[in-house]
Amino acid sequence: MKNNMLLWDETIFRDPTVLELDYLPEQFMHRDSQLQSLIYSLKPAVKGMRPINCLVYGPPGTGKTSAVLKVFEEIETHTSDVVLVKINCQMDSTRFAVVSRIYRKLFNIDPPSSGVAFRKLFEKIVLKLIEKDKVMVVCLDDINYLFHGGHADEIMYSILRAHEQYPGVKMGVIAIVSDTGKLYRFDPKVSSVFLPEEIEFPSYSYDEVGDIISSRIQLAFYPEVVPEEVREKIVNYVDLTGDLRVGIDLLKRSGLNAEKRASKNISEDDVDKAYESSRLLHLRRNISSLSDNEKEILRLVAENDEIKAGELYELFTGNNELGYTRFYGLVNKLKDSHYLDVSFSGEGMRGRTRIIRLNYPADDVIKCIRG
Ligand SMILES: Nc1ncnc2c1ncn2[C@@H]1O[C@H](COP(=O)(O)OP(=O)(O)OP(=O)(O)O)[C@@H](O)[C@H]1O
């Protein structure tokens, strides 16, 4: 057998667990100022006070969740008097699901599954915190998913105003918004009490992505498994999407592709093949956070290549009763988040017609809408 071939029980992975998406990196590079802001905001909780609420925002895959979890981990080594709950709002997307998750963390048992109102469960949580003199920090990760049904406002309102109804309770919120354009808006009832420390997670620069990917390669693979040109190719792909998750997924998939060929190193071809699946990871995740109306608009544009705004509205209202202004607001949002491109043509009744196109391949968008 050639010496660049793997024996059947050999592997190129030194530690595959570091390529899993729930792996929390020990070394968390290029996020010092964000980690400092989080520590500053949560420090009061460690001293038995109400924490400063935070709004963490930035594009997908820029380390928001991991940064919060790093700080939670750190706090847990110092004290057990702060109850830290992280909620994945994509999975727990109603206020009942969220409060159940908090209940489970505090009481270590499932809440009664039926017949109990949100208010009742919430009250049990609050009374327990007061009785045990504990501070609670609730991290609502990807709170975008709670916006559609109006759940975000209700939950935020309950947590942030709990002390008015139950004096002495100490609760705080870290809201994580995965969005490029700050496209969230809370109800005025909430914004009047939610005056958060805003912590921005901008996209990583090319060099920063390079550092993070190199460090992950060192942990994940044996030396020389990933040649320099392959590393660069992966960094370029991450740079295209801005999502580090794509890079980590690419490392895993291209490593598996190399092993499939029984090769001791990853080739550029292994990465290109892996990218076919990894690139959809990014798009699928983003599209899944859109509302049904937004997905419908994307689907119609995808099916029509390019389309005039008026025609798109007509198709849309075939199954929908949204007014033109609301409809066009959605088109604008999709444009701001770079799904759509809107340009003007010279024709049309008033001289200028808006032409709408997709910024992604139509097939990819349709695949991702289907889930
Ligand atoms: N500075 C960093 N150093 C090492 N790994 C990082 C860093 N930033 C992000 N990662 C890795 O990138 C992946 C995505 O990070 P994370 O889930 O924290 O992003 P996010 O901003 O919360 O994404 P989303 O908004 O989509 O939920 C994780 O696997 C994480 O380990």
Side-chain angles (χ1 to χ4, degrees):
M1 192 173 295
K2 283 195 282 174
N3 68 356
N4 61 346
M5 295 286 278
L6 280 179
L7 295 174
W8 71 278
D9 59 347
E10 281 182 329
T11 175
I12 57 175
F13 294 96
R14 189 211 302 258
D15 181 0
T17 60
V18 306
L19 299 179
E20 295 305 330
L21 290 175
D22 55 1
Y23 166 74
L24 195 55
E26 224 155 274
Q27 224 198 343
F28 202 62
M29 285 177 269
H30 304 299
R31 286 303 186 213
D32 288 350
S33 77
Q34 287 81 359
L35 288 171
Q36 283 312 315
S37 301
L38 282 167
I39 289 170
Y40 158 83
S41 307
L42 297 191
K43 213 170 191 172
V46 178
K47 296 183 175 161
M49 294 183 279
R50 210 165 279 137
I52 294 171
N53 298 309
C54 298
L55 176 69
V56 170
Y57 66 96
T62 51
K64 301 180 295 297
T65 311
S66 310
V68 171
L69 289 177
K70 292 289 291 178
V71 176
F72 276 12
E73 200 180 61
E74 176 75 20
I75 293 175
E76 273 166 351
T77 62
H78 283 287
T79 175
S80 55
D81 288 337
V82 185
V83 185
L84 302 156
V85 198
K86 194 206 72 141
I87 291 159
N88 176 344
C89 301
Q90 187 176 5
M91 277 160 67
D92 294 321
S93 61
T94 64
R95 66 177 187 160
F96 191 80
V98 170
V99 81
S100 303
R101 185 70 61 188
I102 300 175
Y103 185 98
R104 239 171 258 137
K105 175 81 189 207
L106 189 61
F107 291 92
N108 280 322
I109 48 162
D110 284 341
S113 58
S114 62
V116 187
F118 167 83
R119 288 252 133 255
K120 197 81 205 139
L121 273 190
F122 190 74
E123 181 170 59
K124 284 189 175 198
I125 291 166
V126 168
L127 295 178
K128 183 80 172 175
L129 291 174
I130 296 175
E131 179 203 325
K132 296 282 176 195
D133 197 20
K134 295 203 180 219
V135 183
M136 177 172 270
V137 181
V138 180
C139 170
L140 297 168
D141 193 4
D142 278 335
I143 193 172
N144 324 36
Y145 290 92
L146 295 182
F147 283 132
H148 308 316
H151 298 285
D153 285 320
E154 289 174 295
I155 291 162
M156 294 285 280
Y157 191 77
S158 306
I159 297 177
L160 297 169
R161 306 200 85 148
H163 62 279
E164 293 175 11
Q165 207 181 343
Y166 305 95
V169 70
K170 295 167 199 153
M171 297 178 92
V173 174
I174 301 176
I176 303 187
V177 184
S178 189
D179 223 328
T180 33
K182 279 209 184 186
L183 300 164
Y184 56 91
R185 206 164 287 131
F186 290 110
D187 186 281
K189 252 185 356 186
V190 172
S191 0
S192 65
V193 282
F194 186 51
L195 304 167
E197 169 87 0
E198 295 199 6
I199 309 175
E200 185 184 2
F201 281 64
S203 297
Y204 291 112
S205 69
Y206 186 87
D207 290 343
E208 288 171 341
V209 171
D211 286 348
I212 296 169
I213 292 293
S214 300
S215 130
R216 205 60 75 96
I217 288 174
Q218 273 189 7
L219 295 170
F221 296 103
Y222 288 108
E224 292 164 36
V225 166
V226 186
E228 178 51 24
E229 67 277 10
V230 168
R231 188 198 74 94
E232 247 171 55
K233 188 166 206 119
I234 292 175
V235 175
N236 284 334
Y237 276 136
V238 178
D239 204 47
L240 269 183
T241 58
D243 187 340
L244 256 180
R245 225 180 256 112
V246 171
I248 293 166
D249 195 59
L250 268 180
L251 284 175
K252 176 175 170 176
R253 286 179 200 266
S254 40
L256 291 172
N257 284 345
E259 284 203 340
K260 206 160 150 195
R261 296 187 295 113
S263 167
K264 281 188 173 168
N265 11 59
I266 300 177
S267 70
E268 292 191 57
D269 197 41
D270 291 326
V271 181
D272 286 331
K273 281 201 189 111
Y275 188 64
E276 280 306 299
S277 319
S278 300
R279 80 200 155 93
L280 288 187
L281 189 85
H282 177 74
L283 190 60
R284 183 169 285 130
R285 201 181 141 78
N286 290 359
I287 287 183
S288 71
S289 73
L290 299 176
S291 68
D292 288 344
N293 280 338
E294 289 159 354
K295 283 186 200 155
E296 176 66 2
I297 293 175
L298 275 190
R299 191 182 64 78
L300 292 170
V301 181
E303 284 174 359
N304 285 279
D305 225 10
E306 62 169 49
I307 185 165
K308 293 181 184 149
E311 288 169 10
L312 178 61
Y313 181 61
E314 264 171 43
L315 285 178
F316 181 73
T317 43
N319 348 318
N320 215 298
E321 292 192 343
L322 220 59
Y324 189 79
T325 313
R326 290 266 320 274
F327 157 80
Y328 204 73
L330 297 180
V331 171
N332 260 332
K333 179 185 163 186
L334 293 168
K335 173 177 157 265
D336 288 345
S337 358
H338 307 290
Y339 292 105
L340 297 179
D341 178 59
V342 180
S343 56
F344 290 95
S345 81
E347 44 165 315
M349 294 266 287
R350 302 206 183 107
R352 279 155 73 79
T353 302
R354 291 184 179 99
I355 308 280
I356 300 172
R357 293 183 191 84
L358 274 183
N359 276 334
Y360 292 92
D363 286 352
D364 286 359
V365 168
I366 289 172
K367 260 190 226 156
C368 293
I369 290 175
R370 287 197 191 122

